[in-house]
Amino acid sequence: EIIANRNNQLQLVSIQLAWRTEQLLEDIQTDEHNALLKTINKAISSRRAMIIRIVGLGLLAILSAAILVVYILRDIRRERRDRNRILEAKAETERIMQQRERLLLTITHDIKAPAASIAGFIDLLSEYVDRPKAVGYLQSIAGSSKHLLQLVSALLDYHQLESGKAELHEVSFAPASLVRECTDGMQPQAMAKHLRLTADIRVEDTMMCRSDAFRIKQVVNNLVSNAIKYTDKGEVTVTVVVANARLTISVEDTGCGMTPEEQQRVFLAFTRLPGAQGKEGVGLGLSITREIVQMLGGTINVSSRKGSGSKFKVVIPVEVLANSAPVIATAKIDNNKSEEAATVSHDAKDISVLIVDDDKLQQQLLTEMFSRMEGINLNVVTTTHANEAIRLANEMKPRIVFTDIEMPEMNGSEIMRRIRSKMEATFVAMTAHEQSIMPQLRKDGFDACLFKPFNVQTLAATICQLTGIIVKVKAESSATETDSLRSALLPFTDGDPEAERQIIDDIHKSIDEYLDMLKDVSDADQIAKAAHKAMPLLEMIQPGKNSWLTPLTPEHIGETEEKEREKLTIQLVERLKQIKNL
């Protein structure tokens, strides 16, 4: 019984343990199931969040792509529009450049040529005008035409240099002669302002170099002219040195000088410094000079102080020639023609001349100039049309053909070629271009060149060179020397006797004063003072023809030998007495 109870108890315990175990297993399964569900739910939530993020990123990417496409399309449209604008701007620029070329051609032919004709007619008219007011007006017109020609020439030079169309023409030249020629040519300008212009030439006269002599001369002339323009008192010195295949030219003045800021701007085109007020020019001279120097492979710089003058220094590479002689520019004339011209008899002076120029004013000027020549009979025929010129040439067989270079129907070179293919003739080019085109004209076959404006003396010299006949220019004016003196000394009185008498009395008193100073030919100070005072009077009577008086001026009398000084003093006394008597 005890065992039976014990077994029952054990069975009960076993049953309870089995139930408890089953309950634990069920609890474990339930916990595992719940944990698994929780894990699954968490994983599902994570995946859902990830999907949402992916979808969001995708939508954002799509939106970004759409925006990018919009911007790309907009940029493409802008690029296409800008490209069209650039093409239109390029076409417009090319059109403007073509118009600019036509404008410059107009300036060359339709402005410079008439201005040159005006200058030529003024030269001819000056001998017919003797009324004081008319003389003053004529001088004003001459000054204006000269200024216009200088302005047009400067604009053309600047355009050629800026556009790169200017060409170099190398020749052999003597630097000493070149600089001396430039300073001699500028002496009248310096004398008019009572300045001393000197050339310090530190090279041998026989030294020869090779470069573009025309351009170098243009540089020297520009710098010297500019120095004279801005110097009111003192001197201008030009120094030339050749060393290490370098030509160094310095132009130093005692003028107004420049500040450092002005030195930075002085080479800019169309720049006018404050000190240039009241001076002629448009601010192109130094800009053109710099362009020329750079074209020659050189350098230019300036050193200056306000109120203490300026110094421009140009260094240009050159080829120094050994054992060479100067190359002199001569017209290209056939040997047979030269011999024929040299053997022309005294009686063979009938020359047929054909003038081809579309400017009737220039034709009239040339015809008038030819009428002023003595010692030669000229049969002059003019025409404005190229085809008519060729026809006339076939009919008249001209000895000399003068032709303009720029004409609307046909240029002068083509006219020359067509006429020369049918007959022998001498051809002279007439052009308003600057002289650097001379080598090209000679290469084309022209025998001589006339650069507008030219005067009757230049024309006569050309005729003499081409024909071998000595040609003189006759004076058409019938005015006496007294009339010329009245025209020079009595400006703007317009025939008023009282005004004329007062001026004449003043001139007499001045001349008497000068003569008193010149009584003692050994008193250099008094002679220099008299020469200085008399110079303006002599310049009014004979402008540009009083360089003989320079050795007696205060700046140069110390360098003049005593015999030369006495000789010039006597000459000055005689001239003053002559003026007084007249």
Side-chain angles (χ1 to χ4, degrees):
E1 186 177 348
I2 294 171
I3 294 171
N5 290 334
R6 186 63 177 172
N7 286 333
N8 289 333
Q9 291 179 351
L10 289 172
Q11 288 179 355
L12 182 60
V13 171
S14 296
I15 293 170
Q16 291 178 345
L17 288 171
W19 178 79
R20 184 63 179 168
T21 301
E22 185 178 356
Q23 288 293 323
L24 291 172
L25 290 173
E26 288 178 359
D27 291 340
I28 291 171
Q29 289 178 352
T30 301
D31 291 339
E32 288 179 353
H33 180 68
N34 292 335
L36 182 60
L37 288 176
K38 187 176 181 180
T39 301
I40 292 173
N41 291 333
K42 186 176 181 181
I44 292 173
S45 299
S46 298
R47 290 178 181 178
R48 186 179 293 115
M50 186 176 294
I51 291 173
I52 292 172
R53 290 193 189 96
I54 292 173
V55 171
L57 290 174
L59 292 175
L60 182 60
I62 292 172
L63 180 61
S64 300
I67 294 173
L68 184 61
V69 169
V70 171
Y71 276 98
I72 290 174
L73 292 176
R74 187 192 66 176
D75 291 343
I76 290 174
R77 286 195 299 271
R78 285 184 177 179
E79 187 271 339
R80 188 176 301 162
R81 181 185 61 196
D82 293 342
R83 184 171 62 249
N84 291 335
R85 287 180 178 176
I86 290 172
L87 293 175
E88 292 175 358
K90 181 181 178 182
E92 179 68 13
T93 302
E94 291 176 351
R95 184 184 67 81
I96 292 174
M97 292 301 295
Q98 291 175 355
Q99 288 182 343
R100 185 181 180 185
E101 292 291 336
R102 288 194 294 269
L103 174 63
L104 287 168
L105 180 61
T106 299
I107 290 175
T108 303
H109 192 267
D110 296 341
I111 297 179
K112 189 174 182 181
S117 299
I118 292 172
F121 278 115
I122 290 172
D123 186 42
L124 296 176
L125 185 61
S126 61
E127 297 186 5
Y128 295 91
V129 177
D130 55 6
R131 294 189 63 187
K133 268 195 174 181
V135 171
Y137 296 154
L138 197 63
Q139 290 174 348
S140 298
I141 296 171
S144 297
S145 65
K146 180 181 179 181
H147 177 65
L148 179 60
L149 285 170
Q150 291 174 345
L151 173 61
V152 173
S153 298
L155 288 172
L156 292 174
D157 278 345
Y158 179 74
H159 167 70
Q160 281 193 332
L161 293 167
E162 183 190 41
S163 60
K165 293 184 178 180
E167 298 179 354
L168 294 177
H169 301 283
E170 293 189 350
V171 296
S172 300
F173 68 98
S177 300
L178 185 146
V179 173
R180 192 176 289 113
E181 180 181 351
C182 292
T183 54
D184 289 346
M186 291 291 177
Q187 284 293 350
Q189 296 183 29
M191 290 174 61
K193 297 186 69 174
H194 304 291
L195 300 176
R196 181 180 180 183
L197 175 59
T198 58
D200 182 9
I201 300 175
R202 303 177 184 177
V203 297
E204 296 292 336
D205 289 347
T206 56
M207 174 180 282
M208 299 297 298
C209 297
R210 186 171 181 81
S211 185
D212 192 327
F214 173 79
R215 292 296 184 184
I216 294 176
K217 185 176 180 181
Q218 190 176 2
V219 167
V220 177
N221 283 334
N222 280 352
L223 292 178
V224 174
S225 175
N226 207 59
I228 294 174
K229 183 190 300 184
Y230 294 105
T231 302
D232 294 326
K233 60 181 180 179
E235 62 180 351
V236 176
T237 304
V238 184
T239 305
V240 57
V241 178
V242 177
N244 301 322
R246 301 268 177 186
L247 173 63
T248 302
I249 300 172
S250 300
V251 178
E252 187 172 4
D253 62 64
T254 57
C256 57
M258 293 176 286
T259 64
E261 294 75 15
E262 290 173 342
Q263 294 178 46
Q264 296 294 326
R265 299 169 47 213
V266 71
F267 292 109
L268 299 179
F270 302 103
T271 298
R272 300 277 285 166
L273 301 180
Q277 300 303 319
K279 309 287 187 181
E280 289 187 355
V282 291
L284 281 177
L286 289 177
S287 176
I288 291 173
T289 300
R290 183 185 62 175
E291 295 290 340
I292 293 174
V293 171
Q294 291 178 349
M295 183 175 67
L296 293 170
T299 59
I300 181 172
N301 57 65
V302 57
S303 58
S304 178
R305 290 180 60 188
K306 196 67 175 179
S308 300
S310 304
K311 180 178 181 180
F312 288 85
K313 182 178 180 181
V314 174
V315 180
I316 299 173
V318 295
E319 179 186 355
V320 179
L321 305 179
N323 300 324
S324 60
V327 176
I328 302 176
T330 57
K332 179 183 176 183
I333 304 177
D334 187 79
N335 290 333
N336 294 328
K337 292 182 187 177
S338 300
E339 293 174 2
E340 179 185 353
T343 57
V344 173
S345 66
H346 184 70
D347 297 328
K349 296 182 180 180
D350 292 328
I351 304 294
S352 58
V353 176
L354 175 62
I355 301 173
V356 189
D357 198 317
D358 61 326
D359 185 352
K360 292 185 178 180
L361 190 64
Q362 186 67 28
Q363 289 185 4
Q364 182 183 353
L365 175 61
L366 274 173
T367 304
E368 179 65 23
M369 286 182 173
F370 282 130
S371 69
R372 297 273 306 279
M373 296 182 185
E374 294 180 332
I376 189 171
N377 297 322
L378 296 172
N379 176 25
V380 181
V381 178
T382 65
T383 179
T384 58
H385 300 288
N387 292 327
E388 185 180 4
I390 297 172
R391 180 182 63 79
L392 288 172
N394 291 330
E395 294 175 359
M396 63 182 290
K397 304 295 190 231
R399 171 80 174 273
I400 306 175
V401 178
F402 291 83
T403 177
D404 190 19
I405 296 301
E406 299 290 346
M407 291 186 290
E409 295 179 356
M410 188 184 303
N411 63 45
S413 298
E414 181 62 26
I415 293 174
M416 177 193 63
R417 283 192 288 269
R418 295 194 182 188
I419 295 177
R420 183 165 277 170
S421 64
K422 299 179 181 179
M423 69 191 71
E424 287 293 329
T426 300
F427 289 85
V428 180
M430 300 183 298
T431 178
H433 289 288
E434 46 96 19
Q435 296 186 16
S436 63
I437 70 166
M438 184 183 290
Q440 181 60 44
L441 294 176
R442 286 181 178 157
K443 183 179 179 182
D444 290 343
F446 283 99
D447 300 284
C449 306
L450 287 172
F451 293 93
K452 303 174 184 177
F454 52 86
N455 55 31
V456 65
Q457 287 78 13
T458 303
L459 182 61
T462 302
I463 294 293
C464 181
Q465 174 191 8
L466 297 176
T467 63
I469 300 173
I470 299 176
V471 180
K472 296 181 180 180
V473 178
K474 61 184 177 182
E476 293 290 339
S477 176
S478 59
T480 64
E481 186 175 2
T482 302
D483 294 331
S484 300
L485 287 172
R486 289 174 61 85
S487 298
L489 299 176
L490 304 176
F492 311 117
T493 59
D494 200 23
D496 184 353
E498 282 297 324
E500 290 185 2
R501 188 177 301 110
Q502 182 63 43
I503 292 176
I504 290 173
D505 289 343
D506 291 340
I507 292 172
H508 279 189
K509 291 178 182 178
S510 297
I511 292 178
D512 289 338
E513 179 186 352
Y514 305 155
L515 293 174
D516 286 338
M517 295 179 185
L518 297 171
K519 285 182 177 179
D520 186 358
V521 294
S522 62
D523 191 341
D525 292 338
Q526 288 296 320
I527 293 173
K529 187 176 181 181
H532 179 74
K533 287 179 174 291
M535 179 68 80
L537 176 64
L538 298 180
E539 277 294 311
M540 281 194 297
I541 297 172
Q542 290 183 311
K545 297 181 180 180
N546 300 287
S547 58
W548 60 271
L549 192 58
T550 303
L552 296 183
T553 57
E555 295 85 358
H556 298 277
I557 195 166
E559 306 168 359
T560 307
E561 295 182 359
E562 185 175 353
K563 290 184 178 180
E564 179 69 13
R565 185 181 67 202
E566 292 179 359
K567 176 183 176 182
L568 294 175
T569 301
I570 294 172
Q571 183 178 347
L572 176 58
V573 170
E574 292 176 351
R575 181 58 178 154
L576 290 174
K577 288 181 178 180
Q578 180 187 16
I579 295 172
K580 183 178 178 180
N581 292 334
L582 290 172

